[in-house]
Amino acid sequence: MINLVVRAHGKPDRAMAFDTTDLAIGRVQGNDLVLLASGVAMRHARIIVKDASYVLIDLRSTAGTLLNGERLTASRVLAQGDRIQIGSFEVELGPFAEFRASPQGAIEARFHEVVSRPDADEDRLVYADWLEGIGQDDRAAYLRGVVDGSARERVAVIARGIPRSWRALVTAPPIEQCPRGACPGRWDRLPRGENDLVRACDICAMGIAFAATAFEARGLRHERGVVVDPAAPRVDDDLAGQSLQRPSGVEIKP
């Protein structure tokens, strides 16, 4: 779990929790934290959890990444309260151990284990009820929408404000474009690994990637199967061509 507080000039602070050990930050969809502003690269930085430490990595961005006012020249281990400057945004690292130790955090961790198992749609609906009970209405609506297929346009909008790593954890989209034709069929039937957005398929001996949109899925497939966020807008044969118009929408604006 990576807890952050995101600040933009003239906007209220936004506390965010990401259930991942590899957080991607950048300007375009497909990142876990999307920051739309000048000075933010498409793929700008990463925060990873390694050996119980948080590590900040700048992805050779043009404008650079500042840590406590100093430009990052190499990966750095972070401490709670460290301030990261990316474009016009300030991102502060929040607590980790306190969240994990809380009863609410323990309950949610158990839900994550249950809903990542095969054929767990009923458990997903129970999880959605629990999320609604703690005030996580958007996540609850997203989860119900992908389970029953209702309110697709609203769910697609909601998904933009929810970390992709969480969406990959709790959903079970079908595997598409499988070159072998004998794959397990669904994302939740693949074993979870260290990367929240890629799961290994023993049949084709390749990683199956979780794409936020059909546009992104086209660039990921490379003779292997992919899955697409079930909340993403789709059209017939949208993985068959060579290009799609890039979808609009971001998670955070300055």
Side-chain angles (χ1 to χ4, degrees):
M1 180 68 66
I2 299 175
N3 291 325
L4 302 174
V5 177
V6 181
R7 300 185 176 96
H9 181 69
K11 299 287 185 179
D13 291 358
R14 185 171 181 181
M16 307 182 74
F18 299 88
D19 190 11
T20 182
T21 57
D22 189 346
L23 178 77
I25 304 172
R27 194 179 67 243
V28 299
Q29 290 192 33
N31 291 286
D32 297 297
L33 176 58
V34 178
L35 305 175
L36 183 64
S38 59
V40 181
M42 294 177 65
R43 311 291 178 191
H44 194 107
R46 292 167 60 203
I47 299 175
I48 64 173
V49 181
K50 183 177 182 181
D51 299 328
S53 297
Y54 298 93
V55 180
L56 174 64
I57 304 168
D58 180 80
L59 301 178
R60 299 182 179 178
S61 61
T62 301
T65 301
L66 303 183
L67 176 61
N68 299 326
E70 296 184 3
R71 182 160 180 151
L72 206 67
T73 57
S75 60
R76 291 278 299 276
V77 175
L78 298 171
Q80 182 180 331
D82 275 349
R83 296 173 182 267
I84 303 162
Q85 191 76 33
I86 296 177
S88 59
F89 290 92
E90 182 180 87
V91 179
E92 180 178 337
L93 183 66
F96 175 70
E98 292 85 343
F99 182 91
R100 274 299 193 192
S102 70
Q104 181 173 308
I107 292 171
E108 185 151 30
R110 177 59 179 160
F111 270 122
H112 291 170
E113 292 177 10
V114 171
V115 301
S116 64
R117 296 171 182 169
D119 305 314
D121 278 350
E122 290 189 6
D123 295 309
R124 291 184 178 93
L125 294 176
V126 174
Y127 181 27
D129 291 341
W130 181 82
L131 288 167
E132 188 173 55
I134 63 169
Q136 296 284 338
D137 294 345
D138 281 355
R139 293 193 183 204
Y142 170 86
L143 202 49
R144 291 191 186 109
V146 299
V147 169
D148 62 25
S150 63
R152 292 191 61 86
E153 291 185 5
R154 177 172 179 263
V155 172
V157 173
I158 291 172
R160 298 172 186 169
I162 299 174
R164 182 168 58 151
S165 57
W166 185 86
R167 304 193 316 256
L169 177 66
V170 303
T171 58
I175 299 171
E176 303 181 59
Q177 302 291 309
C178 176
R180 300 293 178 89
C183 68
R186 285 179 28 142
W187 176 250
D188 57 348
R189 293 174 185 157
L190 299 174
R192 292 173 60 190
E194 293 185 2
N195 187 331
D196 296 323
L197 301 177
V198 179
R199 296 185 183 181
C201 176
D202 294 335
I203 295 174
C204 65
M206 297 188 72
I208 306 298
F210 183 98
T213 64
F215 180 93
E216 182 180 284
R218 287 185 180 178
L220 290 173
R221 62 179 193 253
H222 297 305
E223 304 301 324
R224 65 179 180 181
V226 294
V227 300
V228 180
D229 186 334
R234 303 294 302 271
V235 296
D236 292 343
D237 299 322
D238 55 8
L239 299 187
Q242 295 301 313
S243 64
L244 273 180
Q245 182 179 355
R246 185 179 298 276
S248 60
V250 295
E251 294 181 13
I252 300 180
K253 298 180 181 179

